[in-house]
Amino acid sequence: MMKLSALLPFTLLVAFNSAASVAVNPIFQLEAKPEIGEMVTSSTAELCEVAKGSVDYLNLGEDYDPGIITAGITAQFGGDLDRVKRTLNFICQVEQTDKLAGTPSRLMDANFIAEHFDVIRWMPDKNQAQGFAKNKPLLKNIPDDKILLTKYYIKLAKGTAKQTPETPYALYAIPNDEKDLSLEQANADLSLTRHQLTKQDVITGILDKDKLAEPMVWLSRYDLEDSLMQGTVKVDFTTDKSASDDSSEITSQFFNVHRNNGIGYKRNLKKEQQGRYWYFKKTESVMGYGKDANYKIPVYPLVTVAGDLAHLGLGKLIMLTHNGESRLTVLADTGGAFENNQYQLDYLGGYFKNWDDYINTYRTFSDYFEARILLLKDK
């Protein structure tokens, strides 16, 4: 565990011997001498893309998405929203400069990271975690000095353009009665279809019976539930190519969550039991956070994390360290499990067909990582 002498509140840089008179925040503290491992970030180019997309979203302004477009926790450490954006822009500047020069990325140099960034160490809020720890060993066993790092993925599924016995459940576009409404208008009108139906209602086929929403692709129940849970799905589906010769072709399409029915995610229920239901939208790539489908952040595996955006603030550059290795990620996504959650992040782990594929890949990947929020130093 890190010695307390290495953790100093940002606004009270006093000698450790006088620390008894200092009110220490046990969750977030400035780290005077951060322990940075060997940098193993998978792709600094893709890290830059997530950073760039996050800046674009932040530039929409606080009025567009109050509570998310914010400095968040870093405000108490001098990290106003402008500094958060400068941090992300710096990531891209370094990556692009080094690429043009044909030299290794300095973002892979631990000394460079220590020189250019203030580091805020994040310890888990174990009191929060214990409220959900019943029958959940990962929460019960969170260490004092590491957060829980769960993993999510881009779902790979097989679907059909028409309903079949093997693919009886659809991903639906938002219902027809709100297609021409903004998110604010649709959320304010509780008489709309989306607000009336639970997931259990939708899977009975009521939307098709009354032609209330467009089915975009048909899936198995397993793939439907996995898509609802993961938020993004890449579907390979078969479409009729020619009625004359019964030929067909396989095409791929991304779908991303668009709007939900307003029912909260229940952390103590299995995914099949959740009442929350998401309507989807076709996209050109994998998308992260955005309050509505028109403005979402393009994200990439291994350099993106999801978390409590309301507390942490969107776009934080977060370094994850375990067993002497450190990787840079950008907080560019969230989920229902992250409401009031300061003990966990969700790591976008890649493309997988099912949980078995995911588990086989991440079998030796730790569930607990040291977490540090990085802010570009003011010079």
Side-chain angles (χ1 to χ4, degrees):
M1 185 182 298
M2 181 67 61
K3 293 181 179 179
L4 184 60
S5 58
L7 301 172
L8 300 177
F10 185 78
T11 57
L12 294 170
L13 297 178
V14 297
F16 175 66
N17 289 338
S18 63
S21 63
V22 178
V24 177
N25 182 339
I27 306 300
F28 297 95
Q29 301 166 42
L30 191 77
E31 194 168 28
K33 295 182 179 180
E35 294 187 1
I36 302 174
E38 177 187 359
M39 300 303 299
V40 294
T41 305
S42 64
S43 169
T44 57
E46 291 179 351
L47 180 74
C48 167
E49 289 300 317
V50 183
K52 187 187 305 179
S54 298
V55 170
D56 288 343
Y57 195 90
L58 293 174
N59 282 337
L60 294 173
E62 295 179 61
D63 290 341
Y64 174 75
D65 198 352
I68 301 299
I69 298 179
T70 172
I73 190 63
T74 59
Q76 64 185 275
F77 300 96
D80 60 16
L81 191 56
D82 184 62
R83 190 175 176 196
V84 172
K85 290 190 283 188
R86 290 202 310 273
T87 299
L88 296 172
N89 286 330
F90 180 73
I91 288 294
C92 284
Q93 176 189 337
V94 171
E95 196 281 329
Q96 292 167 358
T97 298
D98 293 344
K99 181 179 179 180
L100 288 174
T103 58
S105 175
R106 288 167 289 169
L107 298 175
M108 303 299 286
D109 183 343
N111 292 327
F112 181 86
I113 299 297
E115 178 185 355
H116 288 86
F117 295 94
D118 285 325
V119 179
I120 302 166
R121 180 67 185 273
W122 172 12
M123 301 296 190
D125 189 331
K126 297 184 68 175
N127 289 332
Q128 281 185 336
Q130 292 314 303
F132 303 97
K134 185 178 180 181
N135 300 322
K136 293 187 176 181
L138 288 179
L139 292 181
K140 185 178 181 180
N141 297 323
I142 293 178
D144 291 336
D145 61 344
K146 296 179 181 179
I147 66 163
L148 172 63
L149 188 71
T150 49
K151 273 73 69 178
Y152 71 119
Y153 57 86
I154 299 106
K155 168 71 178 175
L156 295 176
K158 291 184 177 180
T160 55
K162 296 180 180 179
Q163 188 178 30
T164 72
E166 293 76 24
T167 56
Y169 301 104
L171 290 184
Y172 291 97
I174 57 172
N176 300 326
D177 58 3
E178 63 177 280
K179 279 188 174 182
D180 297 323
L181 300 180
S182 69
L183 176 63
E184 290 75 17
Q185 291 171 325
N187 282 346
D189 187 351
L190 298 182
S191 69
L192 293 173
T193 300
R194 174 165 57 92
H195 302 298
Q196 303 301 313
L197 304 177
T198 67
K199 180 180 70 178
Q200 286 71 28
D201 294 327
V202 172
I203 63 177
T204 65
I206 188 172
L207 293 173
D208 304 305
K209 179 181 178 181
D210 296 329
K211 297 183 179 179
L212 300 175
E214 175 196 355
M216 296 181 292
V217 64
W218 296 87
L219 305 173
S220 69
R221 177 66 185 272
Y222 178 89
D223 284 344
L224 171 71
E225 294 288 356
D226 225 11
S227 300
L228 292 171
M229 180 65 67
Q230 303 306 324
T232 299
V233 56
K234 182 182 180 183
V235 181
D236 290 336
F237 62 98
T238 304
T239 55
D240 293 334
K241 187 176 180 181
S242 172
S244 61
D245 61 7
D246 294 325
S247 63
S248 61
E249 62 179 357
I250 302 296
T251 59
S252 294
Q253 176 67 57
F254 285 102
F255 298 89
N256 186 254
V257 289
H258 188 175
R259 298 175 183 175
N260 66 55
N261 57 1
I263 296 175
Y265 177 85
K266 308 297 183 184
R267 283 183 243 188
N268 293 323
L269 293 181
K270 295 180 180 179
K271 60 184 179 181
E272 293 82 4
Q273 299 171 319
Q274 299 289 337
R276 170 176 281 194
Y277 183 82
W278 281 98
Y279 296 86
F280 280 70
K281 182 181 178 70
K282 293 180 181 180
T283 62
E284 297 300 319
S285 62
V286 183
M287 308 302 288
Y289 177 76
K291 75 171 187 176
D292 199 17
N294 293 332
Y295 297 102
K296 284 181 176 281
I297 302 169
V299 295
Y300 292 85
L302 312 184
V303 290
T304 303
V305 288
D308 185 350
L309 297 184
H311 189 81
L312 299 171
L314 177 72
K316 298 302 175 291
L317 180 63
I318 299 179
M319 182 170 65
L320 300 170
T321 301
H322 175 72
N323 199 26
E325 294 183 339
S326 296
R327 64 197 71 218
L328 297 176
T329 63
V330 176
L331 179 61
D333 206 353
T334 192
F338 290 104
E339 182 178 349
N340 198 26
N341 181 336
Q342 286 101 65
Y343 54 82
Q344 177 186 3
L345 288 173
D346 216 6
Y347 182 67
L348 182 55
Y351 293 81
F352 296 99
K353 295 179 180 178
N354 51 48
W355 281 103
D356 287 340
D357 285 350
Y358 152 77
I359 290 171
N360 287 335
T361 297
Y362 283 98
R363 189 178 302 278
T364 61
F365 200 81
S366 178
D367 295 313
Y368 307 104
F369 274 70
E370 296 177 10
R372 294 169 171 88
I373 299 173
L374 307 185
L375 287 172
L376 184 65
K377 289 182 178 179
D378 285 325
K379 295 183 178 180

